[in-house]
Amino acid sequence: MQPSSRVTIRDVAARAGVSVATVSKVINERYGVSAATLAKVRAVIEELGYEASLVAQSLRNHRTNVIGILVADLEPFSTELLKGAADAIRGSGFELVVYSAGGRTGDPSGWEKRYLSRLSGTLVDGAVLVTPAVSLEAVPGTPVVAVDPHTGPSHLPTIDSDNLRGAQLATEHLLDLGHRRIGFLAGRPDLESASLRKAGYLRALEAAGVPADESLIRIGAYDPEVSAASAHALLTGPDRPTAVFAANDISAIATVGAARELGLSVPDDLSVVGFDNVPESALCSPPLTTVDQPIREMGHRAISMLIALINGDEVERTHVTLDTGLVVRSSTRALSRSPLL
């Protein structure tokens, strides 16, 4: 046997001097093997570095003890969520596999179903779908928990955060600082969370008696390039805003960059607020005032809920909305009495 070749169950049986059936019993912890034989086979498994085929195990046991997380791309939001998922998986007896579409989702309404069908049954016992666009009612029979689904909660378990209240807090903060011309960089139109953030922005303006100005609302699409272009258009208009609330931190950071390119100082000439509180927000110059969305906790809760579903345990709540809060840093300041417009 060459050192580079894959060790098989037959190799283990030959080295231990037992049958393949006996090795299988040891691997699957079945009765009918003496203590001496058990110790001998385990020693050979360790010596040869044998690892049972995950697919073969799943076919025998109907379990893989592997959980999948499906993300459209690895960006700041999903990366933070994965950290929370990793915390939750420790000591659970499960392993975690991450499947990223690398942004190449093709059909935005069905990539999750395609990838889930590849993984379910023989590779994973259940899956967490991150911001899925799929119609959740059509997901196959594998246990699934959705994080921040595009269409909002369905009959399937979901974890999200209070996007409406978070957007209200962000806008109220700018209003309290004296700003009245507050621009808004909206997220992706197909996301329920993005719609709620826009609704929170509009609700805060209405409560303060400030008429909404459609010319101050642009699409950022959670994309840095789109956001930079939209921010540039906002800031070069005839009556530019004195503040901008962006629907996520990446869009807010792009706004800070656009302001800098136009010779505007943040926060002296323009206050900027983001949403998410990803690590990049604190590293921005200046550090970004933002809405804290408990992304790591969302990942932790999603994994914990999924494990309970896989194990058949009772789940107290299958639709969980976590609180959001405002983190004030250096990208916002009170509006001066005579702002430079």
Side-chain angles (χ1 to χ4, degrees):
M1 181 174 57
Q2 296 297 321
S4 59
S5 64
R6 181 181 178 86
V7 178
T8 69
I9 192 171
R10 294 184 183 279
D11 297 326
V12 174
R15 178 68 65 88
V18 298
S19 68
V20 170
T22 297
V23 176
S24 178
K25 287 182 179 180
V26 172
I27 293 170
N28 293 288
E29 299 181 350
R30 294 175 183 163
Y31 64 88
V33 181
S34 69
T37 301
L38 180 66
K40 184 176 183 180
V41 172
R42 285 179 174 172
V44 171
I45 288 173
E46 181 71 21
E47 175 191 349
L48 297 182
Y50 171 73
E51 293 183 6
S53 165
L54 188 61
V55 173
Q57 281 187 317
S58 68
L59 291 174
R60 288 192 299 268
N61 305 332
H62 306 290
R63 286 284 291 267
T64 65
N65 289 332
V66 176
I67 286 174
I69 296 188
L70 279 65
V71 297
D73 205 356
L74 290 173
E75 34 69 42
F77 176 88
S78 61
T79 300
E80 282 302 290
L81 190 135
L82 289 174
K83 293 175 183 176
D87 289 340
I89 210 76
R90 293 190 186 97
S92 68
F94 286 85
E95 297 178 1
L96 196 64
V97 61
V98 179
Y99 194 105
S100 169
R104 300 183 301 275
T105 56
D107 175 9
S109 65
W111 70 270
E112 301 94 334
K113 284 188 287 186
R114 292 196 303 273
Y115 296 156
L116 183 59
S117 67
R118 297 176 189 175
L119 299 174
S120 62
T122 57
L123 293 178
V124 299
D125 294 329
V128 172
L129 303 183
V130 181
T131 60
V134 68
S135 173
L136 296 178
E137 285 73 13
V139 169
T142 299
V144 170
V145 173
V147 176
D148 194 21
H150 284 38
T151 55
S154 72
H155 76 285
L156 289 178
T158 57
I159 307 288
D160 58 16
S161 66
D162 195 340
N163 292 285
L164 180 69
R165 181 56 184 154
Q168 284 182 276
L169 291 172
T171 310
E172 288 168 357
H173 171 66
L174 294 171
L175 290 166
D176 289 343
L177 292 174
H179 297 280
R180 292 298 178 266
R181 289 192 59 75
I182 302 172
F184 178 63
L185 285 188
R188 288 170 42 187
D190 62 322
L191 272 173
E192 174 74 7
S193 59
S195 298
L196 289 171
R197 292 173 196 182
K198 181 179 179 180
Y201 160 78
L202 294 173
R203 184 175 294 187
L205 292 180
E206 182 181 10
V210 177
D213 185 344
E214 289 295 326
S215 71
L216 295 179
I217 301 175
R218 302 294 176 98
I219 297 294
Y222 297 154
D223 180 276
E225 293 183 3
V226 175
S227 296
S230 294
H232 187 277
L234 274 177
L235 298 178
T236 54
D239 189 11
R240 71 167 178 83
T242 62
V244 171
F245 167 40
N248 78 340
D249 286 342
I250 298 303
S251 297
I253 292 170
T255 300
V256 172
R260 185 177 295 116
E261 290 179 0
L262 293 170
L264 298 173
S265 171
V266 176
D268 293 338
D269 302 318
L270 180 75
S271 287
V272 179
V273 179
F275 197 113
D276 280 340
N277 196 25
V278 295
E280 289 82 353
S281 66
L283 301 175
C284 179
S285 179
L288 189 66
T289 295
T290 185
V291 175
D292 178 47
Q293 181 175 209
I295 304 173
R296 287 199 188 190
E297 186 179 354
M298 292 166 74
H300 195 290
R301 291 283 194 100
I303 291 294
S304 298
M305 183 184 292
L306 182 60
I307 290 174
L309 292 170
I310 292 170
N311 290 335
D313 298 334
E314 184 177 352
V315 177
E316 183 178 351
R317 287 191 301 159
T318 56
H319 301 295
V320 176
T321 297
L322 302 177
D323 290 337
T324 49
L326 187 68
V327 178
V328 179
R329 297 193 180 107
S330 304
S331 65
T332 52
R333 60 165 289 179
L335 182 67
S336 60
R337 292 184 180 276
S338 300
L340 179 61
L341 299 176

